[in-house]
Each structure stands twice: as structure tokens, then as C-alpha cells.
Amino acid sequence: MSLTRTNLAILGLQWGDEGKGKVVDLLSPRFQQVVRFQGGNNAGHTVVVDGQSIALHQVPSGALHPGCFLVVGNGVVLNLEVFQQELDRLRARGFDLAGRLLLSDKAHLILPHHIALDLWREGGANKIGTTGRGIGPAYEMKAGRMGVRLGDLLHPETLADRIRPGYEEVRLRLGEGSGLSSLEAIVDALLRTAEPFLSFIGDTQGHLLTAWERGDSILFEGAQATLLDIDHGTYPFVTSSNCSLGGLFTGTGLPPKALDRILGIAKAYTTRVGAGPFPAELHDALGDRLREVGREFGTTTGRPRRCGWFDAPITAHACRTNGVDGLAIMKLDVLDGLDEVGLIVGYRTGEGTVTTKLPSCAADWKGLKAEVKRFKGWASTRGITDHRQLPAEAQAYLEALAESVEVPVAYLSTGPDRHEGCVYPGTFLEPLLA
Ligand code: IMP
């Protein structure tokens, strides 16, 4: 494998919002293909360029680099109206995707009744704090063989028949007076919205297989993260796709041997949005401080994120699930100026024993208390670009963090801008970020 030919996956190791967008954006100039393979517009990647931030939801982060071809794989669910808004925003900033975007004809559409069903459920007792974007219902329809794929847009004469079964089920569920648009109105609006996209729809699997065989470098951009994975996350407080490594292969149609390296992204602390287990959560002024300094408010929904110390057991689980080769630790500078920094090394059970094993059932998370190891704080790491310049206390913290998940640090982010960060010498990232 030549170094310029590394096909790389970038995966979140916590509950999302780790800062994957910055890393993808940094790396994408070295790749010819940048690929999204799961999720939809529940994702929100903020990329900061020259102090200006651009929020992307469905468009792969490589959009800002004219040399990158952007692929939206079959595992993604797409809201075309939102996609159009993203394309318009990018065009207004001078980024045109014409000729370098391909959307899978097998990717599923998010339709208005999916959003209505998501919101209806979230108004009830079983709410899990979704983003309200219709993600769960879109994937349900896919699994229930009632989904509508981008390829169906190329057959407008059968579109209403494709949409009808799922639409009827939702209408029955929501009842009269739900305010749901008529099927005809949904079909008409969809055909209008879809028109500018028709020329972008195609065979992404074939495109990627050819690109791989040709020797293109491919960057796979994960959305959400392992603890939100429908199988390996904190079910049922998860999203509806496989955000961990398996989803990359089903979501693109590429075989595992097309992938060379896996970079896991984690913040130097932990956050989560929505309901669900989170033993590391700080309910005090420290949690508020992390939220304020780290600007921990959702890119997609604006919701305040729950904040806590770095949770080694969940991150170690994510590293093992994904076979992570190296860590990118983000937002270390948010911990600057604290007297003490905590690291969750295990969970104390009701019986008083300490475990690092994650429960499979939501009920078993109840009563687990975070076991915190404390480290001396440091003054500032902001903008440091050589890890040897880090304060000794920050180095000690990072060493303990890497040891606790048994994966070395390959990249460290020390601020929001592109140049604020350190690449660790001797790691597989060094030639890619040199
Ligand atoms: P859904 O994906 O909208 O169905 O939401 C399911 C759960 O995943 C909720 O707890 C959301 O807050 C969470 N979630 C979905 N996408 C993201 C993301 O990109 N970052 C963080 N949390 C997310």
C-alpha cells in the first residue's frame, strides 16, 4: 500500500459531534473521493474556514476542496429540500459541486410523512430526543420494503405507487386532522424538488469500485457515532443506522479490503444530545462551563448538549468495535484553565464493584456511577501545533487517555481553525497531513 493511496475511514467514537467535519476537511485535499455512507440530515458538520463557519448536513465535508469528488452512498437517507439549501449556501460562498457529485440511486428519500411520524412520536411518552428530521421512519420504511429510493425519481409515472404504501400507514397511524399533505401534493412537490438532482443520481457502488481499482484515494466520512449505532450503541437511545464500521461496507457496496485505515474521532471530553444513558454527565457548573467554552449546542437542532468528562469505557468499546488504528482527539483547548480534569475509568455498580463493560440493555445502565480519575489541570493549549509544546499536565492527561482506550493519538485539535492542531510524528496520519 503506497502512502498516497491510503483509503481512510473517519468514525465518531462517542455520541456524535466529535468534530469529524474539521478532520475530514483537513484530510480531504489528499483524497480524490469523499464518501458519506449512512445517516441523513440529522448530522451536522461545522467546517471553519478563515474564521467563517459553514454547516453541512448531507453534503460530504470535502465540498470545500474543488479536487474532491463527492459521493453519497446507498446507506444514506436524503432530504432533497435540505440538500438544495446546502448546495445554495455553498454556491453563495463560491463552492460549486457541478460535475463532482454523485448520489446513489439506491439511497432512500426522507419524505414529509416520515418527518410527521418522527415528530408525532417525539410528542409522546416514548420520546428519545431525536433530531425530528424523519430519520427513523425513513430507515423503517427501507427495512419494511416501503421506502422510496432516489432511483425511483427517474420513473415519475410510478412514483405515487411507490410512495403510497408507506404514506397510507403513516396516515392511519396519525389519524384524521394530522395536517398531513395529500399524497398528490407530496408527489408533486417531490418531483419539483428532485428536478435539479436528476443528473446527479447514479450507480455509486460502480463509481467507487472503479475509483478504487484505478487507485484513487477514498475518504469515508462517518456521521453520528458508535454509541448512536443501532446495534452497538446505547439502544434504544440511538439513531437508526449503523454508524460504526459495518455501515461503511453496506452503505457503499465496497468490500472490506477497500479500506486501509480507520481514524477514530473523540473529543477530549464527552457530550450527548437527546435522552439516554450518560454516566459521565456533569450536572454542575463544570458541565455548564464545558458547554459554554466548547459551544456545545447542536449544529442541526441548536439543542444544548449534555457534557461530561472523557468516558474511557465507551470510547474503548467504540475503538474495539471499529478496529481503530489511531485517535484524533478534538477540543483539548476547551479543558484549558481548569484546576482539575477528570477521566472516567469505569463505572461503579450498585453492588460497589467497578466495571468497564458496557451494559447491553438501557435498564442496566441505571445505577451505574462514573469512577473518575483526576488529573492536574493546565493553563493553555490553544493553537499549539507541536505536541512537544503541550504543558506537561496536558501531556500526562493525553497519555492516560490513550492508554485507557489502548489506541495511540495520531492528531490533536487545539482550536477550531484548520491550522490549530498537532499531527503526531510516526503515525499513519503524518504523511497525509504533512
Ligand atoms: P435521530 O437520528 O434524529 O433519529 O435521533 C436519534 C438520536 O441520535 C437522538 O438522541 C439524537 O440527538 C442523536 N443524533 C442524531 N444525529 C446526531 C448527530 O449528528 N450528533 C449528535 N447526536 C445525534
Side-chain angles (χ1 to χ4, degrees):
M1 177 189 67
S2 100
L3 288 171
T4 51
R5 289 268 312 269
T6 304
N7 290 347
L8 179 69
I10 294 194
L11 301 174
L13 302 179
Q14 295 161 322
W15 279 285
D17 310 313
E18 293 91 353
K20 295 180 288 292
K22 172 174 172 176
V23 180
V24 176
D25 184 54
L26 275 175
L27 282 163
S28 36
R30 306 300 290 259
F31 290 81
Q32 279 100 40
Q33 311 282 334
V34 181
V35 187
R36 274 282 305 267
F37 53 87
Q38 46 72 227
N41 61 319
N42 47 350
H45 290 170
T46 307
V47 185
V48 181
V49 189
D50 299 331
Q52 284 198 310
S53 58
I54 304 181
L56 300 174
H57 299 285
Q58 299 169 118
V59 174
S61 301
L64 307 194
H65 299 284
C68 294
F69 192 97
L70 310 177
V71 178
V72 174
N74 57 276
V76 172
V77 288
L78 272 187
N79 180 324
L80 288 185
E81 223 172 288
V82 174
F83 207 101
Q84 185 62 58
Q85 291 160 10
E86 284 177 64
L87 294 186
D88 292 344
R89 272 206 302 277
L90 281 164
R91 202 171 292 126
R93 300 278 190 96
F95 300 102
D96 194 354
L97 304 191
R100 57 186 192 99
L101 174 67
L102 190 64
L103 311 175
S104 171
D105 54 3
K106 295 180 187 166
H108 281 244
L109 286 163
I110 302 171
L111 297 171
H113 46 291
H114 302 158
I115 300 171
L117 181 57
D118 194 2
L119 294 174
W120 177 78
R121 285 192 186 131
E122 285 294 299
N126 294 326
K127 75 182 256 154
I128 62 158
T130 72
T131 60
R133 300 298 192 260
I135 306 297
Y139 278 114
E140 272 169 64
M141 294 287 174
K142 174 179 177 174
R145 278 98 23 122
M146 288 179 286
V148 184
R149 312 204 292 187
L150 262 69
D152 294 321
L153 297 170
L154 304 172
H155 302 280
E157 69 289 355
T158 56
L159 195 58
D161 291 337
R162 289 288 326 140
I163 297 178
R164 187 172 292 108
Y167 174 82
E168 289 300 341
E169 289 214 358
V170 175
R171 206 168 59 92
L172 274 176
R173 190 111 43 115
L174 302 195
E176 293 305 322
S178 65
L180 208 59
S181 303
S182 69
L183 177 63
E184 293 68 32
I186 289 176
V187 174
D188 286 351
L190 180 60
L191 284 172
R192 267 197 312 279
T193 315
E195 217 283 320
F197 290 97
L198 299 183
S199 60
F200 292 118
I201 299 173
D203 171 15
T204 50
Q205 181 190 28
H207 169 88
L208 287 172
L209 283 167
T210 307
W212 174 42
E213 284 154 11
R214 188 170 59 217
D216 279 10
S217 299
I218 309 175
L219 185 63
F220 301 93
E221 175 183 5
Q224 291 85 46
T226 309
L227 275 296
L228 288 172
D229 183 286
I230 183 98
D231 286 285
H232 301 292
T234 46
Y235 192 88
F237 302 99
V238 292
T239 190
S240 300
S241 62
N242 284 114
C243 330
S244 57
L245 189 61
L248 187 157
F249 304 111
T250 55
T252 59
L254 283 177
K257 60 173 81 147
L259 185 66
D260 301 308
R261 289 276 193 250
I262 299 137
L263 180 67
I265 318 288
K267 273 191 284 222
Y269 50 98
T270 314
T271 63
R272 97 167 280 177
V273 231
F278 186 11
E281 185 165 12
L282 290 164
H283 295 279
D284 54 12
L286 261 172
D288 295 340
R289 186 185 184 284
L290 292 179
R291 187 175 311 107
E292 291 306 322
V293 178
R295 284 190 247 139
E296 297 294 353
F297 298 90
T299 316
T300 301
T301 58
R303 290 180 290 175
R305 295 176 185 145
R306 302 157 67 192
C307 298
W309 298 128
F310 185 88
D311 184 325
I314 63 137
T315 318
H317 160 74
C319 287
R320 283 197 296 271
T321 304
N322 298 309
V324 168
D325 295 301
L327 297 172
I329 298 296
M330 312 303 287
K331 293 181 126 178
L332 182 70
D333 55 296
V334 171
L335 303 180
D336 288 355
L338 292 171
D339 295 335
E340 269 189 341
V341 174
L343 181 77
I344 312 297
V345 291
Y347 310 123
R348 192 167 288 279
T349 66
E351 290 82 50
T353 54
V354 175
T355 178
T356 54
K357 192 167 161 33
L358 270 55
S360 306
C361 294
D364 293 330
W365 281 93
K366 293 213 171 78
L368 291 186
K369 295 256 181 320
E371 189 73 6
V372 187
K373 187 170 172 188
R374 298 191 187 274
F375 293 79
K376 197 167 176 312
W378 54 85
S380 176
T381 62
R382 180 68 196 261
I384 288 179
T385 54
D386 179 342
H387 76 102
R388 287 163 301 197
Q389 310 291 323
L390 289 168
E393 294 83 1
Q395 290 192 22
Y397 171 70
L398 283 171
E399 267 166 38
L401 181 158
E403 209 172 291
S404 69
V405 300
E406 297 179 21
V407 180
V409 178
Y411 175 77
L412 174 69
S413 177
T414 56
D417 228 327
R418 274 180 180 170
H419 65 271
E420 295 179 301
C422 319
V423 185
Y424 280 61
T427 64
F428 70 91
L429 274 190
E430 195 188 12
L432 291 171
L433 283 174

